[in-house]
Amino acid sequence: MKEPKDKSISYLFWIAGCVGCCGLQRIYLGRYFTGVLYLATGGCLGIGQLLDLFLIPGMVDEENLKYLALSGGVGYGPSFQGQNPIVMVNRVQLPARTESMEVSILRICRDRGEATLSDCVIDTGAEIKEVKAVIRNLIHEDLLQIHNRDSDGSVVYKAV
């Protein structure tokens, strides 16, 4: 696995550009194409080399963030000493994504085979007017069918 990158080493490679070895900092930071391009063009006539003076901190942080993500994002270890802290990638349990009302109603109708308005209101916990509006929209979008149940004549909705 790759090792974390150090800003001071990147700047040492940048200084090497002052004596004609432009682009070493980019190669060190995994930007091989532009590193070779800098070597061949004298740091794009010095302009790219000068820009890197300001871009190096961001490039190092980006590489270290990738390193943390690939290594499991555990801690801010001793290998990062002397560098500015970057955003840590910790394993955090994100809250469960809540379903939209439309998806909830479609799921209720699919799982039950058919569902009444009261089934949808009870299972979603939403207001009757809101559930009715969502059901009307789902029928309009051809995602629900409406019909009467043969056994008791109740209005039921079926997922298409």
Side-chain angles (χ1 to χ4, degrees):
M1 181 179 288
K2 291 176 150 181
E3 289 298 316
K5 303 300 180 183
D6 190 295
K7 289 178 187 165
S8 57
I9 293 174
S10 298
Y11 279 115
L12 285 174
F13 283 133
W14 181 87
I15 290 171
C18 296
V19 294
C21 294
C22 300
L24 296 179
Q25 72 278 6
R26 287 192 163 261
I27 293 170
Y28 171 69
L29 295 171
R31 287 149 173 84
Y32 303 110
F33 177 77
T34 54
V36 171
L37 180 69
Y38 276 31
L39 278 170
T41 63
C44 293
L45 302 176
I47 296 171
Q49 189 73 13
L50 183 63
L51 284 175
D52 275 1
L53 180 63
F54 303 102
L55 296 177
I56 284 175
M59 290 191 291
V60 170
D61 287 347
E62 183 181 326
E63 285 302 307
N64 288 339
L65 185 59
K66 288 178 194 175
Y67 170 79
L68 284 173
L70 293 173
S71 66
V74 182
Y76 189 74
S79 59
F80 289 96
Q81 294 300 323
Q83 296 185 15
N84 292 331
I86 59 174
V87 177
M88 299 304 298
V89 180
N90 291 321
R91 294 180 183 179
V92 176
Q93 180 68 34
L94 297 175
R97 186 175 181 181
T98 4
E99 286 184 336
S100 67
M101 177 75 69
E102 290 85 358
V103 172
S104 295
I105 291 173
L106 286 170
R107 189 178 312 281
I108 292 164
C109 293
R110 183 200 65 196
D111 292 348
R112 292 176 179 245
E114 59 184 24
T116 63
L117 174 63
S118 49
D119 291 332
C120 295
V121 169
I122 292 168
D123 287 357
T124 62
E127 297 290 321
I128 296 170
K129 287 181 182 180
E130 185 181 2
V131 173
K132 280 184 175 181
V134 170
I135 288 175
R136 271 194 301 273
N137 186 43
L138 290 171
I139 291 169
H140 178 74
E141 296 293 328
D142 295 324
L143 295 169
L144 282 183
Q145 290 179 342
I146 182 171
H147 65 281
N148 293 84
R149 193 168 23 209
D150 292 334
S151 62
D152 61 1
S154 299
V155 175
V156 291
Y157 307 97
K158 183 177 183 172
V160 177

